[in-house]
Amino acid sequence: MGFSQYDYPKITLSQLEKILLSRFEKEGFLTLKDLPQPALFKDMHKATERIIQAIKKDEKIILIGDYDVDGVVSTTIFKLFFDEINIPLQWIIPNRFKDGYGLSPTIVPQLKGYDLAITVDNGISAVAAAAMCKELGIDLIITDHHLLPPQLPEAYAIINQKQDACTFPYSDICGAQIAWYLVALLNRSLEKNIDMKPFLELVAIAIVADMMPLLHINRAIVQSGLNLLNNSDRPAICAFKEHLQRELFLTDDIGFQLAPILNSAGRMEDASMAVDFLMSSNIYDARVRLQKIIKCNEDRKKIEYEITQLAIEQVDKSDEIIVVQGKDWHEGVIGIVASRIARQFEKPAIVFSQNSKGELKGSGRSFGECDLFEITGECREYLSKFGGHQAAIGLSISSDSFSLFKEKINQSFESKNYNKALFDPEIVGEFDFAEISFDLMATLNRFEPYGQANPKPKFITQNVVILECDTIGKESNHRRFSFEHESTTLPGIQFNTNKSFSIGETVTIIYRVNENKFKGNTKLQLLIENIIRNNNN
């Protein structure tokens, strides 16, 4: 049948349950009672004492955030807490286009006159900017969760769980979690008795948006945070529920709805718009501010689509690493374009935008086994800026080096002998339609919330017959199916596809299962990711 790359073990419902349980065999299902104490962070007490000193002496404090969701939420948590204790706190989120990322030499002039500067979700690589702060007599507290650079900045205190001397037991946490821990310790030390639990609804948004693994304390916080979100009276959350026209939040609503909208403010204009939205004090302001960032997101989607089409035209399908460039492509969306290109062509992709100075600023996304950070690092002779991790990178090169870089990175990929066969680790096994029932949904629901490191299971079923196939959607880009497998019939839907299929065709399908609720009725349906034609069709 020619499906060697789709050979997965056939599993039953009981075997599925064992697979899902194995994801949590190390620590089980934790709760908020299992959260480690703030003191386990290196420099946490030192930072807290310095902030309390600044508060007592009426020193001027400024916060420097980041323009992604994690940075926006971290900034919001700090500002809301300081407002509650009635202490002035100025904040800056650098503009992606004018200021660059985080605490940078470009930002430092705005810190003049302040006594204490605190970073959230950034700063661990800010060696030059930290030195400038010291020259200005500004004490600097860095809170960050990213990988440590070879040289750490000189700061009054550095809170980062990845430091060797840090005894906090979890390394995969986001910036908003560290920000929450710091204000929680401030709350305790100042004896303010503010309830810190409601802030966890914001922290949960950051954990999901920053793609932290939904295991250990991350899962506990997101699980609690979802409950808080679903009962929230925070104006921003209420306005967003109105926008979605639903009362209950799931992790997918954060990952695919709220996070892109919050991110779009920093991608298209200025991330301060997203902070203002989250901090809205009434529903009327929240609605107005939400519409502004929704407009940013609509603009983002339009520009992203246009650039994606231009990028596709440049793709050389014979390359193992897709590398494309365009003049003045919007820097706020090229990372998303790289992700779309990688998924469409099932290869790692790097997308560059050339600015007026002839510099190419790029963003890359990996695919499959490829360690994009490693192979790009082997091209350092062409790189003027470079950072990231295995799955995603940011880099800059000169326009003169484009062809040489493209050639070198493809050679680097070939030297690694990566397995190019399609294998999706989120597919748990081959499943018979007869196993798909409300008992299956009950099992799946037990392991919510799903996300990074706990993906919602995908299934594969071969020898499926297409009984019906209808085109739906305003743009006619969705397909609604009726499938049959071994005398069991189930409905399915596939979004964003232009493929056509014939009635009676036998195929292999890759899918997730969900509950479709409509007018008080609940039915099971298949969310189709891919349909593979059999060779004999």
Side-chain angles (χ1 to χ4, degrees):
M1 301 227 336
F3 292 124
S4 59
Q5 70 266 52
Y6 303 111
D7 283 344
Y8 294 85
K10 182 169 283 193
I11 61 169
T12 62
L13 181 55
S14 61
Q15 289 170 324
L16 170 65
E17 187 170 15
K18 290 179 182 178
I19 291 169
L20 296 178
L21 274 171
S22 70
R23 298 175 179 179
F24 302 93
E25 62 186 358
K26 183 178 179 182
E27 291 175 300
F29 300 107
L30 303 185
T31 69
L32 295 184
K33 293 180 181 178
D34 298 305
L35 294 187
Q37 290 298 309
L40 295 177
F41 283 101
K42 180 182 181 295
D43 283 359
M44 180 65 80
H45 274 298
K46 187 178 182 182
T48 302
E49 289 167 2
R50 180 63 186 89
I51 296 169
I52 291 172
Q53 177 188 331
I55 290 171
K56 289 180 176 178
K57 290 186 175 182
D58 291 326
E59 292 181 323
K60 295 182 68 178
I61 308 172
I62 189 165
L63 189 80
I64 303 99
D66 181 28
Y67 42 63
D68 69 357
V69 174
D70 192 16
V72 162
V73 167
S74 302
T75 303
T76 302
I77 289 170
F78 247 91
K79 179 58 177 169
L80 286 173
F81 176 78
F82 270 71
D83 284 352
E84 285 208 43
I85 64 174
N86 200 29
I87 299 296
L89 175 71
Q90 296 299 313
W91 57 274
I92 301 171
I93 293 191
N95 183 282
R96 180 191 298 266
F97 310 104
K98 296 186 296 183
D99 306 315
Y101 166 75
L103 178 63
S104 66
T106 311
I107 284 292
V108 173
Q110 299 182 49
L111 310 184
K112 286 181 180 179
Y114 287 91
D115 304 293
L116 178 63
I118 306 167
T119 72
V120 287
D121 190 36
N122 75 92
I124 199 64
S125 300
V127 175
M132 293 170 68
C133 287
K134 187 175 182 180
E135 288 178 11
L136 292 170
I138 303 169
D139 280 345
L140 175 64
I141 294 172
I142 292 172
T143 77
D144 200 349
H145 70 114
H146 293 103
L147 292 170
L148 304 180
Q151 179 186 354
L152 290 179
E154 188 176 352
Y156 183 90
I158 297 177
I159 306 173
N160 183 311
Q161 79 287 358
K162 290 187 169 69
Q163 296 177 94
D164 288 339
C166 183
T167 57
F168 193 80
Y170 303 104
S171 63
D172 292 320
I173 60 172
C174 70
Q177 287 167 276
I178 297 175
W180 181 82
Y181 262 107
L182 180 51
V183 296
L185 187 56
L186 278 171
N187 181 47
R188 184 192 304 170
S189 301
L190 290 167
E191 298 181 347
K192 293 296 183 180
N193 297 318
I194 292 168
D195 186 1
M196 296 305 301
K197 190 174 180 181
F199 289 96
L200 290 179
E201 68 184 26
L202 298 175
V203 178
I205 292 169
I207 291 171
V208 174
D210 223 47
M211 301 181 75
M212 293 293 106
L214 291 190
L215 303 173
H216 53 74
I217 62 168
N218 293 349
R219 182 181 188 274
I221 292 173
V222 170
Q223 200 166 35
S224 176
L226 285 170
N227 289 331
L228 291 164
L229 285 167
N230 290 331
N231 294 284
S232 179
D233 58 2
R234 195 180 301 276
I237 302 305
C238 293
F240 196 74
K241 285 180 183 175
E242 287 180 357
H243 170 67
L244 286 184
Q245 295 184 326
R246 67 179 66 176
E247 288 300 316
L248 296 178
F249 269 92
L250 300 173
T251 50
D252 282 355
D253 296 319
I254 296 173
F256 298 111
Q257 299 282 352
L258 182 55
I261 288 174
L262 292 175
N263 260 328
S264 67
R267 290 187 184 279
M268 305 304 296
E269 292 193 29
D270 197 288
S272 61
M273 297 165 62
V275 177
D276 290 340
F277 165 64
L278 290 178
M279 290 183 56
S280 299
S281 59
N282 61 70
I283 190 67
Y284 307 104
D285 286 347
R287 287 168 179 157
V288 171
R289 291 167 178 170
L290 177 59
Q291 288 308 310
K292 287 181 180 178
I293 56 176
I294 286 174
K295 174 64 165 57
C296 286
N297 196 44
E298 294 302 319
D299 291 344
R300 186 270 303 172
K301 287 192 282 189
K302 180 181 177 184
I303 292 171
E304 172 199 319
Y305 176 80
E306 292 170 352
I307 294 175
T308 299
Q309 301 313 304
L310 293 171
I312 288 171
E313 292 174 4
Q314 291 187 32
V315 171
D316 184 342
K317 294 181 180 179
S318 65
D319 287 337
E320 296 297 344
I321 303 285
I322 295 170
V323 185
V324 298
Q325 64 160 315
K327 192 171 183 180
D328 294 325
W329 283 356
H330 199 294
E331 291 177 21
V333 304
I334 57 174
I336 307 174
V337 173
S339 181
R340 294 199 181 282
I341 296 293
R343 286 200 303 270
Q344 178 166 336
F345 292 93
E346 299 183 347
K347 294 179 178 181
I350 300 173
V351 178
F352 286 104
S353 174
Q354 181 177 342
N355 61 24
S356 57
K357 299 176 184 177
E359 182 185 34
L360 295 176
K361 291 186 177 182
S363 189
R365 298 293 184 270
S366 189
F367 187 87
E369 291 186 350
C370 173
D371 185 336
L372 191 56
F373 185 84
E374 179 187 23
I375 65 169
T376 306
E378 295 181 358
C379 307
R380 286 185 184 274
E381 67 264 37
Y382 304 115
L383 307 176
S384 54
K385 293 180 182 177
F386 175 51
H389 50 81
Q390 178 176 342
I393 60 165
L395 69 167
S396 295
I397 64 174
S398 71
S399 56
D400 295 339
S401 301
F402 177 79
S403 297
L404 291 170
F405 170 79
K406 182 177 179 179
E407 181 180 353
K408 177 68 182 288
I409 199 169
N410 271 280
Q411 290 173 352
S412 179
F413 178 92
E414 289 288 356
S415 70
K416 302 300 178 188
N417 294 317
Y418 288 117
N419 179 11
K420 299 173 189 176
L422 178 61
F423 177 81
D424 187 342
E426 294 183 8
I427 297 176
V428 292
E430 186 172 349
F431 219 52
D432 288 338
F433 275 15
E435 296 277 359
I436 298 174
S437 66
F438 285 102
D439 288 339
L440 167 65
M441 291 309 304
T443 297
L444 293 176
N445 291 339
R446 281 180 50 212
F447 294 90
E448 290 273 8
Y450 290 108
Q452 289 296 112
N454 182 36
K456 190 170 185 178
K458 293 180 191 174
F459 305 99
I460 186 167
T461 305
Q462 300 189 41
N463 299 317
V464 175
V465 179
I466 297 176
L467 300 181
E468 297 177 21
C469 177
D470 299 318
T471 299
I472 58 174
K474 291 181 180 179
E475 307 297 326
S476 298
N477 59 338
H478 309 317
R479 301 288 183 269
R480 183 169 55 203
F481 296 91
S482 177
F483 295 112
E484 183 184 48
H485 175 256
E486 295 180 354
S487 302
T488 300
T489 302
L490 286 168
I493 189 165
Q494 185 175 24
F495 296 106
N496 299 313
T497 181
N498 293 314
K499 290 183 179 179
S500 58
F501 298 92
S502 301
I503 305 302
E505 196 171 351
T506 301
V507 295
T508 295
I509 60 173
I510 298 170
Y511 58 93
R512 289 187 168 99
V513 184
N514 82 332
E515 293 176 327
N516 183 22
K517 297 180 180 180
F518 184 69
K519 293 185 177 180
N521 294 320
T522 302
K523 295 182 179 180
L524 299 182
Q525 73 173 2
L526 312 183
L527 296 180
I528 306 299
E529 180 170 297
N530 199 5
I531 300 177
I532 305 104
R533 286 187 161 91
N534 290 5
N535 288 344
N536 57 356
N537 279 323

